[in-house]
Amino acid sequence: MSKISHRFLREGRALPPELEEARLQIQSLARDKYKLDFFETVFEVCTYEEINMLAAYGGFPTRYPHWRFGMDYIEMQKSYEYGLSKIYEMVINTDPAYAYLMDCNLVVDQKLVMAHVFGHVDFFKNNLWFAHTNRKMLDQMANHATRVRDLMDRHGASEVERFIDVCLSLDNLIDPYADHIVRRRPPSQEEVDGAERDRGVVARIPTSSYMDRHVNPKEWLDQQKQAREDALTRMRSFPEEPVRDVLGFLLEHAPLERWQVAILSIIRDEAMYFAPQGQTKIMNEGWATYWHTTMMTADILTDAEVIDYADHHSGTVAMRPGQLNPYKMGVELYRDIERRWNRGQFGKEWLDCDDPRARAAWDTGAMLGREKIFEVRRTHNDVTFLDTFLTEDFCREQGFFTTTRDPRTGQWVVDSAEFKKVKQGMLQMLASRGTPRVFIVDANADNRSELRLVHEHEGLDIQLDWAAEVLGNLAAVWGRAVHLDTWVEGRPTRLSHDGARMTQKARAE
Amino acid sequence: MLPIDRDLQRFRDIVKGRVRKELRRYMSSGELVGRKGNDTVSIPIHSIGTPRLRHGDNKKGVGQGDGDGDGPGEGQQAGDAEGQHVLETELTIEELAEILGEELQLPRIQPKGQKDARTSNPRYTGISVNGPESLRHFKRTWRRALRRTMAGGEYVPERPIVVPIKDDRRYRSSRIKEEPRSAAVVLYMMDVSGSMGKEQKEIVRAEAFWIDTWIRHNYDDVETRFIVHDATAREVDRDTFFRTRESGGTLISSAYKLAMSIIDEHYPVDSWNIYPFHFSDGDNWSQSDTKLCIELVRDRMLPIVNQFSYGQVDSQYGSGQFLKDLTEAFPRDPRVVCSRVANREAIMGSIKELLAGGR
């Protein structure tokens, strides 16, 4: 690990006394009174340059050399210097967790941030989608950095950088659930033997010989035979099942140099590490916001701090017209869940009741709210969270609507406030997070070792100019042409890239 | 020095490389014109981010708000858009000029003779015994005080207390230093008669942008003056220069006369490098005026200017006669440089022609 970058981690600057005092108070509140369960959390005070650097590095003090960090950094620097934006807090999912405080913030801001951070760390530790993340990522990232520098020394910085660029443009083509599910299971001996033994032999329904051609007609026998053959062909095809984890597939099967494999695997590791954060943005921010509001208003604030707190908190949950704020969305949902479970507004009876007055007055005194939200934060991700708890009542109270682009003016306009549409739109937005779902279906297309992928089209077209570059990069890694089957403006289309340029042609569907 | 500075440096290098590669496009599209600040040029860089497979722009979004008619109703798309496709970044004018020079292989301009405008800057290099307290030289003062204390035998090494008195005080003092600074004045002249259309003016504007960039790179101080003319000439500011549209005839000599009187009045030839640039579509009112122009250039301008430059922008109506007349009159004089700009694509070549002399 580089010495400079760890200046403010290990040798550390002790927190100033007033912040240390606040930290102890908030930590014991969170742990003892509110039963949050978090890793040990280390707070560091940083200058805005350091904060911006850390933010550009995704929260980690040491990353491999790459220009995009510099690009992100300069943008944040400018934006801060012009007073457009400012990073309040940052925390990374490691054990112990590290959180950064900006040195020029007010003490009340720092308290807010600390309370918020304990919420995040509790979430990192307990949410199941994070269960497989590497909690020693701080070291791992530093190791990646060393490894990449090594490779750069050996193979040339620009050569390695070019390959990193290629890999990065593919780094959203991963399977975010890969760590949770065994996708591929080798066929059991029995299956293999069975398929082999039965090849070409079709079970006939036993009958007398003169009935045979009626009971076991030739078409049916042929059909059976074909099904057997197909099953065997499928076993022979490569890959056997569609593969979502494109990077993983390339790692195993693309004709790469050793150093390229090392780079690709680093990029994939880091993408996988960050994936759960993308899947739980609303839940995570909502949870942290829920706890900072709870702790700040109930326990921590002094009279003198109320105004500043209110000002800054409202900034956090403020909504820009027509945009969705994950902090706001999340915290409102948790509160709604807590309220409903406190009043027993769940279960069959509640769902069956359609008398608005009865529903409004519904209160069984169940008081299960807190318990319920802890359970929710453990098991859900954003998609299931919204799918389960986004109710029509909630939707109406919060005033959600869908927007669509007016084809005539090109302006965004309100489309509908209808619950079904809103929920569907929101889930769709989350499910893909802007990333189209793409699978490798054939690594030997046309028997020419070309790679064929299929895009699961869910109503949204792929952006073509970027697709051309991405497919070009994919072809560069794969070493042969690649094809992507998708839809463009409602027509089934195949995008092919032969390494030099992309062609687009209609395909049969 | 933060570790990220290295990444930042690398990013800047990439940006410079990109500008270098796309210089021709930047020059012909005129994209950079009007993006100049005091020391920096803001540059739009296309598709520098990492391309990723993603959904197109036609997606629907979900928003939240009151939605009651006004205000919050209109929403932008929701969701997490990835980084912008067009990135604005900044290069210093120096960096841009260097790229321009390298790509066009422009020779550095040799300032003519000993034409240095002397500028005098106060520099605080001296010491004096009186001056304002804000300029007190602490170290010298303390040293005087220490010397006095020791000489008086009052100095106790165990308790080293040194108290300066008024006589000990020393102050920084300024010396006026004369520094040679190379200075240049660029006079832009443009025909704004009816035949010069919008497109022609845009081309002139782009040319002027790059000429400015290069000449600023070569001199410490650069002044620019702007003259528009049809049948008469007048001096205007930069903004008006590119916007004025007149109708009526064209007497080019009027502009040259005005240019000469500006030079005579403000820019003594022994301390200024002088660069007249004239742009027109090549029409002049009469052959006799053209003759007058040529006399003016030969007898009045050439003796004092570094280079006389004429850029002829093709237009629908212009005959282009003036360019022919000029080249015939000065067939081999390196101080007269003419260039024809057929369209935007030709800007790059034209800049090269105009500046290749290194004069």
Side-chain angles (χ1 to χ4, degrees), chain B residues 72-255:
Chain B
E74 55 170 309
Q76 297 149 16
Q77 74 194 70
D80 19 76
E82 293 202 20
Q84 289 173 318
H85 217 175
V86 180
L87 184 99
E88 292 268 332
T89 183
E90 278 179 354
L91 281 188
T92 62
I93 290 177
E94 278 298 290
E95 286 170 319
L96 187 64
E98 263 162 36
I99 292 172
L100 178 74
E102 279 166 32
E103 285 305 294
L104 265 54
Q105 301 183 331
L106 297 179
R108 268 200 82 94
I109 293 175
Q110 301 292 331
K112 230 167 67 180
Q114 212 44 35
K115 292 190 174 187
D116 292 325
R118 305 240 152 221
T119 51
S120 44
N121 283 330
R123 289 170 60 96
Y124 290 91
T125 49
I127 294 291
S128 84
V129 291
N130 42 42
E133 290 304 309
S134 58
L135 288 179
R136 192 169 65 215
H137 196 305
F138 291 98
K139 204 168 175 180
R140 293 274 183 117
T141 304
W142 185 80
R143 214 150 66 192
R144 295 293 307 184
L146 177 66
R147 186 186 292 173
R148 183 180 44 74
T149 316
M150 288 177 89
E154 296 160 25
Y155 185 75
V156 188
E158 288 76 36
R159 291 183 65 242
I161 294 172
V162 177
V163 182
I165 60 171
K166 181 149 195 323
D167 283 351
D168 296 328
R169 296 202 181 157
R170 290 293 177 276
Y171 301 88
R172 287 169 214 277
S173 74
S174 62
R175 299 264 155 88
I176 302 294
K177 197 170 178 225
E178 292 250 312
E179 280 181 341
R181 286 177 69 80
S182 56
V185 57
V186 185
L187 290 131
Y188 290 105
M189 293 169 273
M190 181 162 64
D191 179 3
V192 289
S193 62
S195 53
M196 288 284 282
K198 193 158 178 266
E199 177 68 10
Q200 279 74 27
K201 279 186 199 137
E202 282 303 310
I203 289 175
V204 174
R205 199 183 166 116
E207 295 248 340
F209 173 88
W210 293 102
I211 291 168
D212 260 8
T213 304
W214 183 244
I215 292 186
R216 272 178 208 286
H217 179 59
N218 281 278
Y219 290 97
D220 298 323
D221 297 323
V222 174
E223 285 192 15
T224 45
R225 306 294 284 256
F226 297 89
I227 296 169
V228 293
H229 73 88
D230 45 12
T232 55
R234 62 196 167 99
E235 191 183 358
V236 295
D237 59 26
R238 172 185 288 271
D239 207 41
T240 323
F241 184 74
F242 293 114
R243 282 179 211 285
T244 315
R245 175 147 195 188
E246 310 277 343
S247 53
T250 314
L251 283 177
I252 295 177
S253 63
S254 65

Side-chain angles (χ1 to χ4, degrees), chain A residues 32-49:
Chain A
D32 304 330
K33 179 166 174 192
Y34 292 110
K35 308 292 177 212
L36 291 181
D37 168 29
F38 40 81
F39 299 126
E40 183 199 337
T41 306
V42 182
F43 288 92
E44 304 281 348
V45 180
C46 301
T47 64
Y48 78 93
E49 281 125 328

Side-chain angles (χ1 to χ4, degrees), chain A residues 154-347:
Chain A
R154 205 166 313 167
H155 301 277
S158 49
E159 180 88 5
V160 172
E161 185 188 69
R162 243 194 321 272
F163 191 68
I164 292 178
D165 286 348
V166 167
C167 296
L168 281 176
S169 99
L170 306 173
D171 78 351
N172 58 345
L173 305 181
I174 51 171
D175 179 3
Y177 307 114
D179 289 334
H180 304 270
I181 304 171
V182 181
R183 290 279 189 206
R184 272 188 310 148
R185 158 182 75 82
S188 68
Q189 197 56 37
E190 237 166 274
E191 274 174 299
V192 175
D193 288 352
E196 280 302 321
R197 195 173 51 236
D198 297 343
R199 178 193 284 266
V201 182
V202 179
R204 287 159 178 268
I205 297 167
T207 178
S208 49
S209 62
Y210 74 94
M211 281 295 284
D212 188 60
R213 64 193 172 94
H214 300 290
V215 175
N216 297 311
K218 183 158 184 313
E219 303 83 65
W220 183 74
L221 288 179
D222 286 350
Q223 213 181 325
Q224 292 289 92
K225 218 169 182 174
Q226 191 59 45
R228 284 271 158 83
E229 283 297 327
D230 285 351
L232 280 167
T233 315
R234 207 165 44 243
M235 278 190 185
R236 260 204 327 268
S237 73
F238 171 55
E240 276 179 43
E241 303 279 335
V243 173
R244 173 123 189 241
D245 184 5
V246 176
L247 281 196
F249 187 86
L250 292 174
L251 259 184
E252 281 179 37
H253 303 294
L256 293 172
E257 307 270 350
R258 299 306 299 171
W259 68 267
Q260 292 177 317
V261 172
I263 297 283
L264 187 56
S265 115
I266 284 172
I267 301 290
R268 181 171 173 271
D269 275 1
E270 297 191 357
M272 288 298 287
Y273 170 80
F274 286 116
Q277 296 181 27
Q279 290 175 292
T280 55
K281 184 92 184 143
I282 294 174
M283 289 198 69
N284 203 343
E285 292 302 353
W287 185 249
T289 305
Y290 177 91
W291 286 109
H292 88 231
T293 51
T294 305
M295 286 192 257
M296 290 300 279
T297 50
D299 307 278
I300 300 171
L301 280 180
T302 64
D303 297 352
E305 293 170 337
V306 170
I307 301 288
D308 282 327
Y309 166 77
D311 182 25
H312 295 158
H313 171 71
S314 61
T316 322
V317 294
M319 210 112 40
R320 301 237 307 279
Q323 288 209 320
L324 213 58
N325 177 339
Y327 295 77
K328 167 85 172 163
M329 177 83 188
V331 74
E332 294 291 351
L333 259 176
Y334 280 116
R335 284 186 188 145
D336 188 57
I337 295 167
E338 187 180 26
R339 192 184 48 79
R340 280 173 58 203
W341 260 259
N342 274 344
R343 297 161 69 97
Q345 298 179 345
F346 55 93

Side-chain angles (χ1 to χ4, degrees), chain A residues 14-199:
Chain A
L15 286 183
E18 73 275 17
L19 291 186
E20 181 59 21
E21 196 183 310
R23 184 186 75 84
L24 288 173
Q25 181 202 3
I26 296 168
Q27 180 177 284
S28 67
L29 256 176
R31 191 176 45 215
D32 304 330
K33 179 166 174 192
Y34 292 110
K35 308 292 177 212
L36 291 181
D37 168 29
F38 40 81
F39 299 126
E40 183 199 337
T41 306
V42 182
F43 288 92
E44 304 281 348
V45 180
C46 301
T47 64
Y48 78 93
E49 281 125 328
E50 287 165 343
I51 283 263
N52 286 341
M53 176 187 82
L54 288 161
Y57 279 157
F60 291 86
T62 313
R63 295 292 294 271
Y64 57 82
H66 194 264
W67 56 268
R68 78 171 191 287
F69 299 130
M71 177 174 85
D72 293 347
Y73 174 69
I74 191 74
E75 249 172 63
M76 277 185 270
Q77 282 290 87
K78 285 239 182 74
S79 166
Y80 176 82
E81 281 160 11
Y82 295 153
L84 300 176
S85 74
K86 154 164 151 179
I87 296 163
Y88 262 101
E89 51 90 21
M90 203 176 2
V91 52
I92 52 175
N93 165 31
T94 50
D95 180 13
Y98 285 89
Y100 309 108
L101 305 171
M102 180 132 72
D103 60 0
C104 61
N105 279 346
L106 299 177
V107 172
V108 59
D109 291 338
Q110 310 289 31
K111 290 179 181 171
L112 186 158
V113 169
M114 285 179 186
H116 192 86
V117 159
F118 283 118
H120 276 312
V121 179
D122 169 83
F123 194 88
F124 287 145
K125 186 174 175 187
N126 293 288
N127 183 273
L128 286 174
W129 301 96
F130 284 90
H132 294 277
T133 52
N134 181 359
R135 312 289 189 182
K136 296 283 170 222
M137 203 57 187
L138 204 65
D139 301 338
Q140 173 104 43
M141 288 279 189
N143 290 342
H144 286 171
T146 313
R147 187 98 176 82
V148 172
R149 281 203 191 93
D150 245 26
L151 292 173
M152 282 183 160
D153 288 345
R154 205 166 313 167
H155 301 277
S158 49
E159 180 88 5
V160 172
E161 185 188 69
R162 243 194 321 272
F163 191 68
I164 292 178
D165 286 348
V166 167
C167 296
L168 281 176
S169 99
L170 306 173
D171 78 351
N172 58 345
L173 305 181
I174 51 171
D175 179 3
Y177 307 114
D179 289 334
H180 304 270
I181 304 171
V182 181
R183 290 279 189 206
R184 272 188 310 148
R185 158 182 75 82
S188 68
Q189 197 56 37
E190 237 166 274
E191 274 174 299
V192 175
D193 288 352
E196 280 302 321
R197 195 173 51 236
D198 297 343
R199 178 193 284 266

Side-chain angles (χ1 to χ4, degrees), chain B residues 250-254 257 284-296 321-322 325:
Chain B
T250 314
L251 283 177
I252 295 177
S253 63
S254 65
K257 280 181 198 152
N284 203 2
W285 178 252
S286 65
Q287 221 34 48
S288 62
D289 188 67
T290 302
K291 221 159 136 197
L292 181 58
C293 290
I294 289 169
E295 278 169 26
L296 273 170
Q321 184 59 37
F322 195 68
D325 295 339

Side-chain angles (χ1 to χ4, degrees), chain A residues 57 65-67 70 75 161 168-169 171-172 319 322 398-403 405 412 414 433 436 461 463 466, chain B residues 4 6-8 10 14 48 51-57 59 61-65 73 75-77 80 85 87:
Chain A
Y57 279 157
H66 194 264
W67 56 268
E75 249 172 63
E161 185 188 69
L168 281 176
S169 99
D171 78 351
N172 58 345
M319 210 112 40
Q398 296 289 323
F400 287 114
F401 55 85
T402 61
T403 57
R405 211 190 255 288
W412 287 95
V414 174
R433 282 272 175 208
D461 282 2
Q463 189 179 320
W466 280 28
Chain B
I4 199 146
R6 231 181 65 165
D7 297 321
L8 187 56
R10 180 76 192 111
I14 288 175
I48 201 168
R52 291 200 172 87
L53 213 55
R54 62 168 216 172
H55 290 132
D57 196 29
K59 59 181 160 190
V62 178
Q64 184 177 3
Q76 297 149 16
Q77 74 194 70
D80 19 76
H85 217 175
L87 184 99

